[in-house]
Amino acid sequence: MYQKIAVGLACILAALVMSGCRYGRPAVVPVSQHMAEPVATGSFIVEPRTFKPFKLLVTTGMSNPRLEGTFSATGARNDIEVTLLEESQFTNWQERRSFEAIYESGRVTNATLDVQLPTDPATYYVVFSNRFSIFSNKAVAADVHLSYDRVNLSAESGRRSRSGYRRR
């Protein structure tokens, strides 16, 4: 009789222990992290009849990529042209051929950028142009960055290991 009770208690104890430890694959939880990479920051000079390009890359794993920021120019008429181009269009723009821009500021003293980019991997250029000026340098102050969400997959499920500690 004691033997049947001991076996019954052992089975109950084993069932309780096993119910607290779930075996199998951990749940995959997507974790989104907001990121920002500098593109053009600080002050720089754009000489007459020239331009300054800044390269940015949209890569796989970037969700909701955006070009964001501000810029301002001083010198002569206090104006600058800012253009956002995909790589092949930048080549056309450099050679003064027909091109399609994602963003064109026109001649402005200052502006705020907030441009949604495609999620397909690509190379882009933000171009600060003073090609239109014959004699005057332009002093530009810029704070332009590429912002995006990076989605990581996490295997954290909150399960406890056999030792009773939470897995990390």
Side-chain angles (χ1 to χ4, degrees):
M1 178 159 149
Y2 291 111
Q3 192 176 23
K4 286 183 181 179
I5 293 173
V7 169
L9 287 175
C11 287
I12 292 171
L13 182 58
L16 288 173
V17 169
M18 295 302 287
S19 69
C21 298
R22 296 182 198 132
Y23 291 98
R25 286 190 188 174
V28 176
V29 180
V31 177
S32 180
Q33 182 178 14
H34 187 73
M35 307 291 285
E37 296 177 8
V39 174
T41 59
S43 298
F44 51 91
I45 301 294
V46 184
E47 295 178 359
R49 299 282 186 210
T50 67
F51 58 91
K52 290 230 186 265
F54 294 87
K55 184 177 182 177
L56 63 126
L57 300 172
V58 172
T59 60
T60 56
M62 289 183 174
S63 174
N64 193 31
R66 302 185 75 74
L67 185 68
E68 301 176 331
T70 59
F71 63 89
S72 63
T74 58
R77 293 194 171 134
N78 299 326
D79 54 355
I80 194 81
E81 293 177 350
V82 177
T83 308
L84 174 61
L85 301 152
E86 187 272 331
E87 188 170 31
S88 65
Q89 297 304 314
F90 175 56
T91 301
N92 289 340
W93 182 89
Q94 284 179 293
E95 296 172 359
R96 297 184 187 265
R97 292 189 179 140
S98 178
F99 65 91
E100 290 184 33
I102 297 168
Y103 169 85
E104 290 182 271
S105 68
R107 290 184 194 173
V108 296
T109 300
N110 56 49
T112 299
L113 291 166
D114 187 8
V115 182
Q116 180 74 47
L117 297 171
T119 56
D120 296 329
T123 301
Y124 298 93
Y125 289 88
V126 178
V127 183
F128 291 81
S129 176
N130 193 22
R131 282 177 160 181
F132 57 87
S133 181
I134 298 171
F135 302 111
S136 303
N137 287 341
K138 303 300 165 108
V140 176
D143 181 17
V144 178
H145 56 273
L146 172 63
S147 71
Y148 57 93
D149 296 322
R150 165 111 24 228
V151 178
N152 297 318
L153 296 179
S154 169
E156 175 63 38
S157 65
R159 296 185 313 148
R160 295 187 187 275
S161 66
R162 290 184 185 156
S163 63
Y165 294 103
R166 214 175 251 280
R167 291 182 183 175
R168 295 257 180 226

